[in-house]
Amino acid sequence: PYNPFWGMWMTITRQTVAGTQINPEEALTREQALALWTRNGAYLTFEERRKGSIEAGKLADFAVISDDLLTCPVDR
């Protein structure tokens, strides 16, 4: 099943399932990875006026998680 946290982890660490690191110089920051799966996704489908960020008048679909994605251990 699709897991956006897995995708974010791969863009941050540049590691494969086997643990091989590929092109570490292309790693994204945590902030960039989070934007990639939120605002940028809406932009790519021309829906940035309707979704992609939490703002008045936009569609809301979000989850509450227990950790701070910007500071928790990367493998968590």
Side-chain angles (χ1 to χ4, degrees):
Y2 174 73
N3 184 339
F5 297 110
W6 178 253
M8 283 188 270
W9 177 83
M10 288 190 299
T11 63
I12 294 166
T13 65
R14 298 296 294 164
Q15 289 185 19
T16 66
V17 175
T20 304
Q21 193 173 38
I22 299 175
N23 300 326
E25 68 280 1
E26 294 180 1
L28 299 181
T29 66
R30 293 175 188 221
E31 292 87 351
Q32 290 170 325
L34 190 57
L36 181 63
W37 267 265
T38 56
R39 291 189 310 263
N40 294 1
Y43 179 79
L44 288 172
T45 58
F46 304 101
E47 298 177 290
E48 66 272 18
R49 291 185 179 172
R50 295 187 49 208
K51 60 184 183 179
S53 60
I54 300 174
E55 298 178 52
K58 288 189 172 184
L59 299 174
D61 185 13
F62 59 93
V64 177
I65 55 175
S66 61
D67 291 333
D68 181 348
L69 293 178
L70 302 179
T71 61
C72 70
V74 71
D75 289 330
R76 185 171 171 129

